Amino acid sequence: MKKVFPYIAIVFCAFLTSYSIRSFINHSGLLTSGVSGICLVISRFFAILYYNTNLNDLLANAKQMDLVNTLTSVLFFIINIPLVYLAFKKIGKRFATLSSIYIIANTLFIKFLPNSILDIFSLNANDTLSHALFAGVFSGVATSLALNIGGSTAGLEIIGTYFSRKKQISIGKILMFVNTIIIITGGIFLKEWTPILYTLVLVFVNGRVVDSLHRATRKMIITVISEEYKEISEQVSTKTNYSCTIGKVLGGYTGKDKYNIMIVVPENKVDLIIDIVHKIDEHAFITSSDTNNVYGNFYIEPLK
């Protein structure tokens, strides 16, 4: 079951994203982030020209929106082909495989998701802010879950993962910056600025959810005060591949010589480090704190 779970989870991520687009985003005229946002801009712009209509009338017409959904799903699949190639070549085969499954599932869900399940969440049709918040949370959870199981929601998340591992900056910040540009471009083409302002709320919520739930790109400084510095250092290095910086200190209460052991690790390794230390020295004093940037020779665990 453990081996199968990531593949089930990535399909669920695709469902969350597609549901968000079909239920919250299309109903309120919002745009979404990433490649899906690019596809929505192109699809809506083409449909407006083809049907000689405006955005509001387009969104209210089920037949016309069926064309938008078809174009969105096809464009999403095509645009992601070179990005999956990048994932296979530069990031990892398992990451690329899970991302590919997401792309196929999302392509099918956007097109074939039944309208009967889109009203599970009863939101006021005129409450655009609620639609933006729900869409931001849904897409953020989908992105975070996909990244935490070793995959992605494709598109810009593949690019964001690549650069976050090279430059050691958060994926959420990368996505917020690029998505803001995409959304402003959408406002220019679709000539509807009110939904665009709410879409910026969606992007902000999405980015915050990703940074909160995706622990692998968040770095933590762990400080351990203990006399057992040799064994702690050896065990941490052996079990995690992360090294320690060690300095001699004096215990203010005991007056004994102790050692300050500093370790910088991704947030998802903190519990493991604490468990290692406590097995060696159950009385060790441990603190942890966030760090915004890491420079130098920092180990990056490879994706498979």
Side-chain angles (χ1 to χ4, degrees):
M1 184 63 185
K2 187 176 180 181
K3 292 182 178 180
V4 177
F5 172 76
Y7 301 98
I8 297 174
I10 202 70
V11 173
F12 177 67
C13 293
F15 171 77
L16 285 180
T17 305
S18 303
Y19 186 91
S20 174
I21 291 173
R22 292 283 302 276
S23 182
F24 306 128
I25 292 169
N26 281 348
H27 278 187
S28 54
L30 297 165
L31 288 174
T32 187
S33 54
V35 168
S36 296
I38 296 172
C39 296
L40 278 176
V41 171
I42 297 173
S43 301
R44 289 178 184 176
F45 184 68
F46 177 83
I48 287 171
L49 294 179
Y50 183 79
Y51 290 112
N52 191 26
T53 185
N54 57 58
L55 179 61
N56 290 329
D57 291 340
L58 173 70
L59 296 173
N61 189 303
K63 181 180 178 181
Q64 293 176 6
M65 284 305 298
D66 187 57
L67 174 62
V68 171
N69 293 332
T70 301
L71 289 174
T72 300
S73 62
V74 171
L75 286 171
F76 182 81
F77 184 83
I78 292 172
I79 292 175
N80 272 295
I81 292 175
L83 298 178
V84 168
Y85 177 78
L86 171 67
F88 270 108
K89 296 293 287 186
K90 300 293 185 180
I91 301 177
K93 290 183 179 179
R94 183 175 182 275
F95 174 88
T97 299
L98 288 171
S99 299
S100 299
I101 293 172
Y102 173 88
I103 291 167
I104 295 170
N106 193 52
T107 299
L108 295 174
F109 281 140
I110 290 176
K111 170 59 181 173
F112 297 110
L113 205 63
N115 290 327
S116 58
I117 71 170
L118 299 180
D119 295 325
I120 295 175
F121 295 88
S122 300
L123 300 180
N124 189 317
N126 297 319
D127 189 355
T128 309
L129 179 60
S130 292
H131 283 81
L133 293 174
F134 269 80
V137 171
F138 269 55
S139 58
V141 169
T143 300
S144 303
L145 176 58
L147 292 170
N148 284 334
I149 62 174
S152 77
T153 52
L156 293 184
E157 282 73 35
I158 293 177
I159 299 174
T161 299
Y162 175 74
F163 281 106
S164 70
R165 295 174 68 80
K166 292 293 182 182
K167 303 296 184 181
Q168 289 301 300
I169 56 178
S170 76
I171 290 178
K173 290 178 180 177
I174 295 173
L175 297 182
M176 277 194 282
F177 175 74
V178 177
N179 289 330
T180 300
I181 296 174
I182 293 172
I183 290 163
I184 292 174
T185 303
I188 295 172
F189 275 93
L190 300 177
K191 299 179 181 179
E192 286 287 345
W193 285 102
T194 300
I196 298 304
L197 295 176
Y198 285 106
T199 302
L200 293 176
V201 175
L202 185 161
V203 170
F204 176 79
V205 172
N206 176 282
R208 296 304 299 169
V209 170
V210 171
D211 275 347
S212 297
L213 299 181
H214 180 44
R215 303 176 67 193
T217 57
R218 295 175 60 188
K219 306 299 182 291
M220 302 289 290
I221 298 175
I222 301 176
T223 301
V224 180
I225 306 297
S226 172
E227 298 177 19
E228 308 297 334
Y229 70 96
K230 285 186 178 180
E231 189 175 356
I232 290 173
S233 177
E234 289 173 359
Q235 288 294 313
V236 168
S237 179
T238 300
K239 295 182 178 179
T240 72
N241 288 320
Y242 292 95
S243 61
C244 307
T245 299
I246 302 169
K248 196 171 185 178
V249 295
L250 182 67
Y253 178 75
T254 63
K256 294 181 179 180
D257 288 337
K258 293 181 179 292
Y259 292 86
N260 183 339
I261 307 161
M262 186 183 76
I263 316 158
V264 180
V265 294
E267 189 185 27
N268 61 353
K269 299 293 183 183
V270 171
D271 293 339
L272 175 59
I273 299 291
I274 293 173
D275 184 59
I276 291 171
V277 173
H278 276 160
K279 285 181 179 179
I280 298 169
D281 181 2
E282 63 180 7
H283 300 295
F285 182 80
I286 306 172
T287 64
S288 64
S289 59
D290 289 304
T291 180
N292 293 324
N293 298 293
V294 177
Y295 303 98
N297 189 23
F298 181 77
Y299 173 74
I300 301 174
E301 189 173 16
L303 290 172
K304 299 178 181 179

Tab-separated table of all heavy atoms in Angstrom, residues 255-289:
chain	number	residue	atom	x	y	z
A	255	GLY	N	28.425	24.396	35.184
A	255	GLY	CA	29.835	24.762	35.138
A	255	GLY	C	30.683	23.752	34.388
A	255	GLY	O	31.916	23.827	34.407
A	256	LYS	N	30.044	22.812	33.703
A	256	LYS	CA	30.775	21.778	32.971
A	256	LYS	C	30.994	22.189	31.512
A	256	LYS	O	30.216	22.954	30.941
A	256	LYS	CB	29.997	20.458	33.011
A	256	LYS	CG	29.877	19.824	34.383
A	256	LYS	CD	29.109	18.503	34.281
A	256	LYS	CE	29.000	17.828	35.641
A	256	LYS	NZ	28.260	16.541	35.551
A	257	ASP	N	32.053	21.645	30.932
A	257	ASP	CA	32.291	21.853	29.505
A	257	ASP	C	31.274	21.051	28.692
A	257	ASP	O	31.063	19.856	28.938
A	257	ASP	CB	33.702	21.397	29.117
A	257	ASP	CG	34.775	22.330	29.643
A	257	ASP	OD1	34.443	23.506	29.903
A	257	ASP	OD2	35.932	21.901	29.790
A	258	LYS	N	30.632	21.732	27.746
A	258	LYS	CA	29.684	21.078	26.844
A	258	LYS	C	30.012	21.505	25.418
A	258	LYS	O	30.957	22.286	25.190
A	258	LYS	CB	28.239	21.452	27.202
A	258	LYS	CG	27.779	20.906	28.563
A	258	LYS	CD	26.343	21.284	28.841
A	258	LYS	CE	25.863	20.739	30.184
A	258	LYS	NZ	25.756	19.272	30.204
A	259	TYR	N	29.214	21.019	24.477
A	259	TYR	CA	29.469	21.343	23.076
A	259	TYR	C	28.185	21.831	22.413
A	259	TYR	O	27.105	21.277	22.624
A	259	TYR	CB	30.043	20.130	22.348
A	259	TYR	CG	31.430	19.786	22.814
A	259	TYR	CD1	31.618	18.958	23.923
A	259	TYR	CD2	32.547	20.321	22.195
A	259	TYR	CE1	32.890	18.661	24.390
A	259	TYR	CE2	33.820	20.024	22.650
A	259	TYR	CZ	33.985	19.202	23.740
A	259	TYR	OH	35.248	18.918	24.202
A	260	ASN	N	28.348	22.881	21.632
A	260	ASN	CA	27.244	23.438	20.842
A	260	ASN	C	27.305	22.802	19.456
A	260	ASN	O	28.248	23.031	18.699
A	260	ASN	CB	27.388	24.956	20.757
A	260	ASN	CG	26.229	25.608	20.024
A	260	ASN	OD1	25.520	24.968	19.253
A	260	ASN	ND2	26.048	26.897	20.253
A	261	ILE	N	26.292	22.021	19.123
A	261	ILE	CA	26.252	21.298	17.844
A	261	ILE	C	25.171	21.960	16.977
A	261	ILE	O	23.980	21.896	17.309
A	261	ILE	CB	25.935	19.811	18.065
A	261	ILE	CG1	26.906	19.219	19.087
A	261	ILE	CG2	25.978	19.038	16.747
A	261	ILE	CD1	26.424	17.926	19.710
A	262	MET	N	25.574	22.588	15.887
A	262	MET	CA	24.622	23.273	15.017
A	262	MET	C	24.452	22.492	13.716
A	262	MET	O	25.426	22.095	13.077
A	262	MET	CB	25.095	24.685	14.691
A	262	MET	CG	24.062	25.500	13.908
A	262	MET	SD	24.657	27.130	13.437
A	262	MET	CE	25.730	26.689	12.065
A	263	ILE	N	23.191	22.269	13.337
A	263	ILE	CA	22.877	21.511	12.130
A	263	ILE	C	21.813	22.287	11.341
A	263	ILE	O	20.810	22.725	11.915
A	263	ILE	CB	22.317	20.118	12.470
A	263	ILE	CG1	23.121	19.468	13.593
A	263	ILE	CG2	22.270	19.226	11.237
A	263	ILE	CD1	22.375	18.397	14.344
A	264	VAL	N	22.016	22.463	10.044
A	264	VAL	CA	21.020	23.092	9.174
A	264	VAL	C	20.436	22.007	8.282
A	264	VAL	O	21.176	21.331	7.544
A	264	VAL	CB	21.634	24.214	8.322
A	264	VAL	CG1	20.570	24.839	7.427
A	264	VAL	CG2	22.268	25.279	9.209
A	265	VAL	N	19.126	21.820	8.365
A	265	VAL	CA	18.467	20.743	7.614
A	265	VAL	C	17.125	21.233	7.071
A	265	VAL	O	16.567	22.227	7.556
A	265	VAL	CB	18.222	19.507	8.512
A	265	VAL	CG1	19.525	18.878	8.947
A	265	VAL	CG2	17.366	19.876	9.719
A	266	PRO	N	16.562	20.532	6.068
A	266	PRO	CA	15.183	20.804	5.674
A	266	PRO	C	14.232	20.519	6.826
A	266	PRO	O	14.517	19.659	7.669
A	266	PRO	CB	14.947	19.833	4.498
A	266	PRO	CG	16.298	19.460	4.021
A	266	PRO	CD	17.188	19.502	5.216
A	267	GLU	N	13.115	21.195	6.847
A	267	GLU	CA	12.187	21.048	7.974
A	267	GLU	C	11.689	19.614	8.127
A	267	GLU	O	11.424	19.159	9.248
A	267	GLU	CB	10.995	21.990	7.802
A	267	GLU	CG	10.108	22.046	9.042
A	267	GLU	CD	8.868	22.872	8.847
A	267	GLU	OE1	8.403	22.978	7.696
A	267	GLU	OE2	8.363	23.406	9.846
A	268	ASN	N	11.591	18.880	7.025
A	268	ASN	CA	11.088	17.515	7.136
A	268	ASN	C	12.088	16.550	7.768
A	268	ASN	O	11.775	15.376	7.962
A	268	ASN	CB	10.638	16.994	5.767
A	268	ASN	CG	11.760	16.956	4.745
A	268	ASN	OD1	12.868	17.436	4.991
A	268	ASN	ND2	11.482	16.394	3.589
A	269	LYS	N	13.309	17.031	8.092
A	269	LYS	CA	14.298	16.192	8.765
A	269	LYS	C	14.426	16.517	10.264
A	269	LYS	O	15.181	15.851	10.978
A	269	LYS	CB	15.682	16.371	8.119
A	269	LYS	CG	15.748	15.981	6.653
A	269	LYS	CD	15.561	14.487	6.466
A	269	LYS	CE	15.710	14.099	5.003
A	269	LYS	NZ	15.470	12.655	4.786
A	270	VAL	N	13.704	17.523	10.729
A	270	VAL	CA	13.860	17.976	12.120
A	270	VAL	C	13.513	16.874	13.105
A	270	VAL	O	14.256	16.610	14.058
A	270	VAL	CB	13.001	19.232	12.386
A	270	VAL	CG1	12.981	19.562	13.884
A	270	VAL	CG2	13.531	20.415	11.598
A	271	ASP	N	12.376	16.202	12.909
A	271	ASP	CA	11.956	15.154	13.847
A	271	ASP	C	12.973	14.018	13.903
A	271	ASP	O	13.231	13.455	14.981
A	271	ASP	CB	10.581	14.610	13.449
A	271	ASP	CG	9.470	15.645	13.619
A	271	ASP	OD1	9.677	16.593	14.393
A	271	ASP	OD2	8.422	15.500	12.975
A	272	LEU	N	13.535	13.683	12.752
A	272	LEU	CA	14.540	12.618	12.711
A	272	LEU	C	15.789	13.017	13.497
A	272	LEU	O	16.335	12.212	14.262
A	272	LEU	CB	14.912	12.306	11.253
A	272	LEU	CG	16.055	11.293	11.042
A	272	LEU	CD1	15.711	9.954	11.685
A	272	LEU	CD2	16.343	11.135	9.553
A	273	ILE	N	16.236	14.267	13.329
A	273	ILE	CA	17.419	14.752	14.046
A	273	ILE	C	17.185	14.709	15.558
A	273	ILE	O	18.034	14.249	16.325
A	273	ILE	CB	17.788	16.181	13.612
A	273	ILE	CG1	18.122	16.235	12.129
A	273	ILE	CG2	18.933	16.725	14.456
A	273	ILE	CD1	19.399	15.555	11.739
A	274	ILE	N	16.032	15.181	15.984
A	274	ILE	CA	15.713	15.199	17.417
A	274	ILE	C	15.685	13.780	17.974
A	274	ILE	O	16.176	13.509	19.085
A	274	ILE	CB	14.369	15.921	17.667
A	274	ILE	CG1	14.507	17.414	17.327
A	274	ILE	CG2	13.919	15.745	19.118
A	274	ILE	CD1	13.209	18.177	17.383
A	275	ASP	N	15.122	12.851	17.211
A	275	ASP	CA	15.070	11.454	17.645
A	275	ASP	C	16.484	10.871	17.781
A	275	ASP	O	16.775	10.154	18.761
A	275	ASP	CB	14.262	10.646	16.633
A	275	ASP	CG	14.074	9.197	17.073
A	275	ASP	OD1	13.499	8.981	18.147
A	275	ASP	OD2	14.516	8.295	16.327
A	276	ILE	N	17.356	11.197	16.838
A	276	ILE	CA	18.747	10.725	16.896
A	276	ILE	C	19.439	11.240	18.159
A	276	ILE	O	20.103	10.487	18.883
A	276	ILE	CB	19.524	11.167	15.634
A	276	ILE	CG1	19.021	10.422	14.404
A	276	ILE	CG2	21.032	10.934	15.814
A	276	ILE	CD1	19.582	10.943	13.099
A	277	VAL	N	19.270	12.540	18.417
A	277	VAL	CA	19.933	13.157	19.566
A	277	VAL	C	19.425	12.566	20.874
A	277	VAL	O	20.212	12.214	21.773
A	277	VAL	CB	19.736	14.685	19.558
A	277	VAL	CG1	20.269	15.309	20.850
A	277	VAL	CG2	20.427	15.298	18.351
A	278	HIS	N	18.103	12.399	20.997
A	278	HIS	CA	17.526	11.907	22.250
A	278	HIS	C	17.910	10.452	22.534
A	278	HIS	O	18.000	10.048	23.701
A	278	HIS	CB	16.014	12.053	22.225
A	278	HIS	CG	15.561	13.420	22.621
A	278	HIS	ND1	14.317	13.923	22.296
A	278	HIS	CD2	16.192	14.412	23.312
A	278	HIS	CE1	14.197	15.137	22.773
A	278	HIS	NE2	15.316	15.461	23.396
A	279	LYS	N	18.146	9.667	21.504
A	279	LYS	CA	18.578	8.290	21.723
A	279	LYS	C	20.003	8.236	22.272
A	279	LYS	O	20.378	7.295	22.972
A	279	LYS	CB	18.486	7.501	20.412
A	279	LYS	CG	17.058	7.129	20.031
A	279	LYS	CD	17.022	6.329	18.744
A	279	LYS	CE	15.577	5.939	18.398
A	279	LYS	NZ	15.509	5.178	17.127
A	280	ILE	N	20.795	9.254	21.934
A	280	ILE	CA	22.185	9.308	22.410
A	280	ILE	C	22.272	10.006	23.760
A	280	ILE	O	22.977	9.569	24.672
A	280	ILE	CB	23.079	10.018	21.378
A	280	ILE	CG1	23.077	9.230	20.061
A	280	ILE	CG2	24.503	10.187	21.899
A	280	ILE	CD1	23.708	9.971	18.905
A	281	ASP	N	21.547	11.136	23.897
A	281	ASP	CA	21.597	11.921	25.131
A	281	ASP	C	20.198	12.462	25.416
A	281	ASP	O	19.782	13.468	24.838
A	281	ASP	CB	22.600	13.074	24.971
A	281	ASP	CG	22.719	13.920	26.237
A	281	ASP	OD1	22.054	13.589	27.246
A	281	ASP	OD2	23.476	14.912	26.218
A	282	GLU	N	19.485	11.781	26.286
A	282	GLU	CA	18.097	12.167	26.568
A	282	GLU	C	17.996	13.493	27.307
A	282	GLU	O	16.916	14.093	27.374
A	282	GLU	CB	17.402	11.073	27.370
A	282	GLU	CG	18.011	10.808	28.739
A	282	GLU	CD	17.293	9.709	29.494
A	282	GLU	OE1	16.413	9.064	28.906
A	282	GLU	OE2	17.611	9.505	30.684
A	283	HIS	N	19.101	13.985	27.860
A	283	HIS	CA	19.092	15.260	28.574
A	283	HIS	C	19.635	16.416	27.722
A	283	HIS	O	19.824	17.522	28.234
A	283	HIS	CB	19.910	15.145	29.860
A	283	HIS	CG	19.402	14.113	30.813
A	283	HIS	ND1	18.180	14.205	31.432
A	283	HIS	CD2	19.965	12.940	31.237
A	283	HIS	CE1	17.997	13.152	32.205
A	283	HIS	NE2	19.063	12.366	32.109
A	284	ALA	N	19.902	16.159	26.458
A	284	ALA	CA	20.435	17.205	25.580
A	284	ALA	C	19.443	18.359	25.459
A	284	ALA	O	18.222	18.161	25.425
A	284	ALA	CB	20.736	16.622	24.201
A	285	PHE	N	19.996	19.572	25.398
A	285	PHE	CA	19.186	20.777	25.222
A	285	PHE	C	19.115	21.075	23.730
A	285	PHE	O	20.146	21.226	23.066
A	285	PHE	CB	19.818	21.948	25.977
A	285	PHE	CG	19.026	23.223	25.901
A	285	PHE	CD1	17.923	23.426	26.713
A	285	PHE	CD2	19.386	24.235	25.003
A	285	PHE	CE1	17.195	24.602	26.653
A	285	PHE	CE2	18.657	25.406	24.934
A	285	PHE	CZ	17.562	25.598	25.756
A	286	ILE	N	17.893	21.149	23.183
A	286	ILE	CA	17.719	21.294	21.731
A	286	ILE	C	16.807	22.480	21.431
A	286	ILE	O	15.749	22.632	22.045
A	286	ILE	CB	17.105	20.026	21.107
A	286	ILE	CG1	17.932	18.795	21.485
A	286	ILE	CG2	17.000	20.153	19.596
A	286	ILE	CD1	17.278	17.490	21.064
A	287	THR	N	17.210	23.309	20.485
A	287	THR	CA	16.348	24.377	19.976
A	287	THR	C	16.350	24.311	18.455
A	287	THR	O	17.278	23.787	17.829
A	287	THR	CB	16.827	25.773	20.418
A	287	THR	OG1	18.124	26.033	19.843
A	287	THR	CG2	16.899	25.880	21.924
A	288	SER	N	15.295	24.837	17.849
A	288	SER	CA	15.231	24.921	16.388
A	288	SER	C	14.625	26.257	15.993
A	288	SER	O	13.790	26.811	16.707
A	288	SER	CB	14.405	23.770	15.813
A	288	SER	OG	13.061	23.857	16.236
A	289	SER	N	15.036	26.770	14.850
A	289	SER	CA	14.525	28.056	14.366
A	289	SER	C	14.574	28.087	12.844
A	289	SER	O	15.373	27.386	12.215
A	289	SER	CB	15.348	29.220	14.943
A	289	SER	OG	16.714	29.087	14.567
